[in-house]
Amino acid sequence: SPQPRRAAMAARPVRHARASKSPMSALGVAAAFVAAAVAAASVAAASPPWRTSMSACWTDVTCRRALIVSHGGDWNLQNPYDSLGAFERAVNDTTDAVKGDFRVSSDGVGVVMHSSPVAIYESPECWGKVVENTTADVLTKCKMALTNWTFMRADELLAFTEGRAITMFCVKRPQDIARAVSTIVQAGAQDRAFLEVRVRDLIEVAAKVPDFDQVYFLAEGGSAGDLDLLLNATSVLPRAFTFEFDPSWPKWGLGNVSDVIRTRLHGAGVRSLAATSTLLPSVASQEALWADGFDVVYTYDTPNAVIARTAVDKQRGV
């Protein structure tokens, strides 16, 4: 589970939190809303196509541009993992996509929450609450640890990222895949969002839910054998645009990782993603993943990933 990092970095204005009742604080919160709206409009106006549409690079195996998914946002003590503040920081860092965890409340609402029951380091005041047994209204009033940020609904994250970054939801339970699909469809976000699910759940669960063919999926591999499982499931391949795997797995039958990506994945029209180390991955370690041939880096350190991406794109001439 993620822990706060880079605590000394400056906090962003609180926007998804409870406002103070004092007049001066209310004015301050209103000013923060206006400033955030202006900043959002500026970022949206400048966002390149690969941050607003899955059809731009994400689903194109010939695209040479290095792409980043920011894991839970760019988080620290003031802006916890999966908070709106962390996602806003990641967008301001110029990430290409943000990843939020997806769970479903007792009243059927998609919420951006990692753990169920809620862990004490996530929210002391809601510690122990089971997401699936609690209403969205209660959950979205839970303050995150040490801050005034509260948990958010999945459709709120989709609204925030529109025109700014692609959204990835990690679906924590296979039984919630159908609700995750409908959340994206209801928001009209089919071309700017995707779901992370395990390969077997993609084939056995996701492929059977309504509107499966309207949503893109990241197929998460748990072993080298999952690659064969995915590539043999030809009915899901049009929607499984990327395969996530660990570059440290034992030797593949075709040799090194670059060969696997180039011949087996790209040959089937599927792109590749690798996650960084969870412990402050360096610029060099993230550059190395792109050097191995990975198309997308799923990062635990967005600022370092942006530096690495810039260097890689310059080297590639994109």
Side-chain angles (χ1 to χ4, degrees):
S1 297
Q3 299 295 328
R5 58 175 169 72
R6 296 199 303 279
M9 297 181 70
R12 300 286 182 188
V14 172
R15 295 168 53 216
H16 193 257
R18 301 173 183 170
S20 167
K21 294 182 180 179
S22 73
M24 189 60 68
S25 294
L27 288 173
V29 170
F33 267 90
V34 172
V38 172
S42 175
V43 171
S47 294
W50 58 91
R51 293 182 194 144
T52 61
S53 172
M54 294 290 294
S55 62
C57 197
W58 291 90
T59 56
D60 179 3
V61 295
T62 67
C63 180
R64 290 172 49 78
R65 184 174 299 281
L67 296 172
I68 298 170
V69 176
S70 182
H71 191 283
D74 181 13
W75 35 279
N76 61 10
L77 283 174
Q78 295 86 7
N79 301 275
Y81 176 94
D82 268 354
S83 71
L84 181 57
F87 294 129
E88 183 174 23
R89 282 163 52 90
V91 167
N92 290 340
D93 291 338
T94 70
T95 189
D96 302 304
V98 297
K99 169 263 185 180
D101 295 292
F102 186 95
R103 289 187 179 275
V104 179
S105 65
S106 63
D107 50 343
V109 176
V111 289
V112 182
M113 300 182 69
H114 181 272
S115 304
S116 182
V118 177
I120 191 170
Y121 62 81
E122 294 173 316
S123 174
E125 72 176 29
C126 289
W127 175 30
K129 286 188 182 297
V130 176
V131 173
E132 294 76 18
N133 296 340
T134 310
T135 65
D137 183 62
V138 170
L139 294 170
T140 55
K141 291 176 181 174
C142 293
K143 287 187 178 181
M144 294 177 156
L146 305 176
T147 74
N148 284 329
W149 291 112
T150 56
F151 294 112
M152 62 194 303
R153 294 166 53 120
D155 55 8
E156 291 176 323
L157 179 56
L158 287 170
F160 169 74
T161 56
E162 185 173 9
R164 308 180 80 190
I166 299 296
T167 302
M168 164 180 157
F169 286 121
C170 175
V171 185
K172 307 302 286 187
R173 307 190 312 162
Q175 56 265 52
D176 293 336
I177 292 174
R179 187 66 186 100
V181 168
S182 66
T183 297
I184 290 176
V185 172
Q186 288 166 5
Q190 297 96 313
D191 188 45
R192 59 183 182 86
F194 63 94
L195 302 177
E196 177 188 18
V197 301
R198 296 182 180 90
V199 169
R200 193 168 294 279
D201 292 335
L202 173 66
I203 297 168
E204 298 179 357
V205 180
K208 299 175 183 178
V209 307
D211 295 326
F212 163 77
D213 60 352
Q214 294 191 41
V215 175
Y216 288 108
F217 290 84
L218 163 65
E220 179 190 359
S223 68
D226 279 339
L227 177 58
D228 293 325
L229 188 63
L230 175 66
L231 296 183
N232 287 331
T234 54
S235 62
V236 305
L237 282 181
R239 307 313 302 175
F241 77 101
T242 297
F243 178 64
E244 176 184 356
F245 68 96
D246 186 342
S248 68
W249 282 346
K251 286 284 186 179
W252 297 71
L254 288 175
N256 63 35
V257 168
S258 299
D259 288 338
V260 172
I261 294 170
R262 185 178 63 255
T263 60
R264 301 199 65 192
L265 286 171
H266 287 179
V270 180
R271 306 196 83 206
S272 58
L273 175 148
T276 67
S277 162
T278 59
L279 185 62
L280 297 178
S282 66
V283 172
S285 68
Q286 300 192 69
E287 284 187 55
L289 292 174
W290 279 304
D292 279 341
F294 284 98
D295 301 296
V296 185
V297 168
Y298 189 11
T299 184
Y300 281 75
D301 191 303
T302 305
N304 278 351
V306 169
I307 295 170
R309 180 193 64 193
T310 302
V312 170
D313 281 345
K314 182 177 180 180
Q315 182 182 32
R316 295 177 177 177
V318 297

